[in-house]
Amino acid sequence: MATQAEARIADLYRVPEHGKAELVHGDLILMSPTGGIPGRASGRIYRSLDDYEREVGGGYAFPDNVGFLVDLPHRRSFSPDAAFWVGEIPPGGQFLPGAPIFAAEVRSETDYGPEAELAMAAKRADYFAAGALVVWDVDVLRSREIRVYRATRPGEPEIFHRDERADAEPALPEWTFAVVEIMPPLRR
């Protein structure tokens, strides 16, 4: 059993260049590239997290396509769109052990509908089971809001709109993010 799990983790290291995947239910789940608006949103969230890391410390900001290894019965990895992680960075190019304390999942065109909602809810539950404190569901394409889920209230998101500042308490004390920074311009 351990040999099979290690072989599956090894598969993550062999995803084609610039590819993104997660190990869920024993399957390597390849993730499609995203479009410009969601890509810019995840980049701006990361940039703000990197500023927080430099100013406050206490962990590391990571952009899209970084692997986090976890040991859940049905999930072995995450690859969020932006994250903040606490721990010692392994040498070389190894994936990070454990879940990030904060993860941002930015919706792409295919992240809508009943099936997508169920998959995202299951992934949030996995994040919390693995030790994440806060998970953002970032919707820049339709509802244009950030839903903030916290481990203490995983089914009760706090919703932040265009003119508000979203937070990631208790994972990132005193860090806030202006929602307008990631929203496309309003159509006139």
Side-chain angles (χ1 to χ4, degrees):
M1 183 87 157
T3 305
Q4 183 182 9
E6 292 305 313
R8 298 306 302 190
I9 291 169
D11 291 340
L12 280 174
Y13 284 102
R14 289 192 295 272
V15 172
E17 187 174 345
H18 306 297
K20 182 174 176 175
E22 294 180 341
L23 286 173
V24 183
H25 295 290
D27 295 321
L28 188 67
I29 307 297
L30 298 175
M31 303 163 102
S32 300
T34 192
I37 292 171
R40 285 181 56 80
S42 65
R44 287 190 172 173
I45 293 167
Y46 162 71
R47 188 175 67 202
S48 181
L49 290 170
D50 188 55
D51 289 344
Y52 180 84
E53 174 192 329
R54 291 168 187 259
E55 293 170 18
V56 178
Y60 301 96
F62 288 98
D64 189 16
N65 207 16
V66 173
F68 297 85
L69 297 179
V70 296
D71 191 17
L72 297 177
H74 55 279
R75 177 181 287 274
R76 298 288 291 146
S77 71
F78 292 107
S79 186
D81 296 311
F84 199 86
W85 179 80
V86 176
E88 288 213 22
I89 298 177
Q94 296 175 12
F95 296 129
L96 301 170
I101 61 169
F102 166 76
E105 292 286 344
V106 181
R107 290 178 183 238
S108 296
E109 288 286 336
T110 59
D111 292 330
Y112 296 93
E115 193 174 309
E117 294 299 328
L118 289 172
M120 286 184 281
K123 188 172 185 178
R124 280 192 305 273
D126 288 349
Y127 270 120
F128 294 134
L133 300 176
V134 177
V135 177
W136 279 9
D137 176 356
V138 181
D139 186 347
V140 292
L141 299 176
R142 295 198 182 164
S143 65
R144 296 183 179 214
E145 64 192 17
I146 296 175
R147 288 178 214 87
V148 178
Y149 293 86
R150 302 172 208 283
T152 55
R153 296 182 321 276
E156 302 171 24
E158 187 173 356
I159 300 172
F160 293 90
H161 299 94
R162 177 180 208 86
D163 60 341
E164 297 176 308
R165 294 189 72 84
D167 69 77
E169 294 280 349
L172 304 173
E174 299 181 27
W175 177 73
T176 63
F177 184 83
V179 177
V180 71
E181 288 290 318
I182 58 172
M183 294 299 156
L186 293 173
R187 295 183 191 153
R188 294 179 191 250

